[in-house]
Amino acid sequence: MAEVSGVQVSAAQSQPRRAADWYELFFDLVFVVVVAVSADLIEEAPSISTVLVFLLLLFPLWWAWVNLMITNNLYGTRFPSIGVLVIAAMPGPAAMAIAVAEGVELDGWLYASGAAWIRLVLLAMWLIAYSRKAISVSLWRPLVHNLGTAALWLGSVLIPAPYQYLVWAVAVAIEIALLSQRKGFAFSVYREASISHALERVGLFVVIVIGEAVYLAVTGLAKHPTISGGAAALFGFLICALLARAFFRWGVPTAEAGLSAARSANSYGAMRDVIMYLPFILVAALTLIAASIGIAMEQAGAPLSFDARMLLAAGIGGFYLANALVGIRLGRPIASVATLAIPGLVVPALACLLSGELAAWATLALASASLVLLDIVSKSLGSRTGTSNTSSRIRAAQHPATHEREGLD
C-alpha cells in the first residue's frame, strides 16, 4: 500500500502517470486572458449582480475547457492530430474572452461564435476517434453533442438579448444531459481516463487563477509603492501561498486517491463530478479572491467597501466549500468534512466583517491569519482522520456493489 496525505491506495488502483502535453499548456495561455478579463469585470463593480454575470459567462468557458481536456485525455496520446486540434481551438475561448471584456450585450455574436468554434473542433476530435474505431458509440452522439449544439450557438447570433442567453443555456444543458447518460460508452470513457492527467490539468488551471491574484498584488504595488501598498501586497501574496499550499498539499493527493477508489468501485458519477463540475466552484472562488486582492491594492490605505470584503469572504469560503463537496462526493463522512468546511466558511467571513473600519491591507492581514488558523486545523484533522477514511475507501473499492448502494453514484 502507498500512503498519500493520510490516504492509502493499493497498487491495483494505480495507473501509469501521464503528464500534460506541451500543446495543452500552450492552449491554457488563452485562459490566462479569460481569468484576467473576469477579474477586471468584478473589480469594476464588485456587486452580487456582477458576480452572477461573471459566473454565468465563465461556466461555458470552463465547460469548453474541460471538454477539450477530457477528449485529449482519452485520445491525445493515440492520435497526434488531436494535439493540432487543441491548438486550433484557441480562437474560440479568445473570442469569448474578448466578448466578455467588451460587453456581451454588444458582442454576444462573438461570444456565441467562439463557443460554436470550440464545438466544431471537438466534433473533429471525436470523429477522428470514431473513424479509427477507438470508441464504440453511435454516430448520433458526437453529432448532437457537438454539431447540434454548435448550430444552436451560431443560431443564437440572430436572436436578440436576453432570449439569446436562453439559447446558450439550452445548448450547454444538452451537453450536460448527454454526459449524464449512464450507458456503456460513458462507462468506457471513465475507465480509460487518466486520473493523474486530469488532476494535473485542473491543478494547472488553478495555478492560472492564483497567478492572476499574485499578478494583481505585484502590479498593484508598482502603481502604489507605499507602506500600506506593500503591506497589502505582502498579505495578498500570503493568501495566495496558503491557498496553493492547501490545494496542492492536501486537496490533489486526496482527490487522486479517492478517484482511484471511485473507479475501482464503478462510481463513475463521482469521477465526473469531481473532475468536470466541482472544480468550477474552486476556479470561480479563486477568481473572486483575485479580484478582491486587486481592489484592495487600489485602496490599500483606506477601508474596503462591504461588497469588496464580502467578495473576499465568499472567495475563501467557496474554496473550502468546493473541497468539502469533493470530499463528500468521494465518500468522506459529512460530519468529518464539516469539521473543516464550517470554519472555512465562518472564520474568513468574520475576519472580513470585523475589519470594516480598518484599512484594506489590514483586511487582507486578518484574512491571511484566518487561513493560517484553518491550515493548522486541516493538518490536525488530516493526521487524526486519515486512517479511518482510508479504511472506508478501501472497503468501498473491494465491494463495488456496496459502494453503489451507499449512493455515491
Side-chain angles (χ1 to χ4, degrees), residues 5-6 245-246 249-250 320 339-340 371-386:
S5 292
R245 168 186 161 88
R249 184 170 182 177
W250 308 110
Y320 281 95
T339 53
L340 180 61
L371 287 175
V372 170
L373 176 61
L374 290 169
D375 183 74
I376 294 171
V377 172
S378 177
K379 185 175 181 180
S380 174
L381 291 173
S383 62
R384 226 171 23 187
T385 63

Side-chain angles (χ1 to χ4, degrees), residues 210 213-215 217-218 229-246 286 289 293 297 312 316 319-320 361-373 375:
I210 295 178
V214 173
Y215 171 81
V218 174
L234 174 63
F235 290 116
F237 180 81
L238 182 57
I239 288 172
C240 295
L242 290 167
L243 291 173
R245 168 186 161 88
L286 289 170
I289 293 171
I293 290 175
M297 292 305 304
L312 180 59
I316 298 175
F319 175 87
Y320 281 95
W361 69 264
T363 298
L364 295 182
L366 287 175
S368 61
S370 71
L371 287 175
V372 170
L373 176 61
D375 183 74

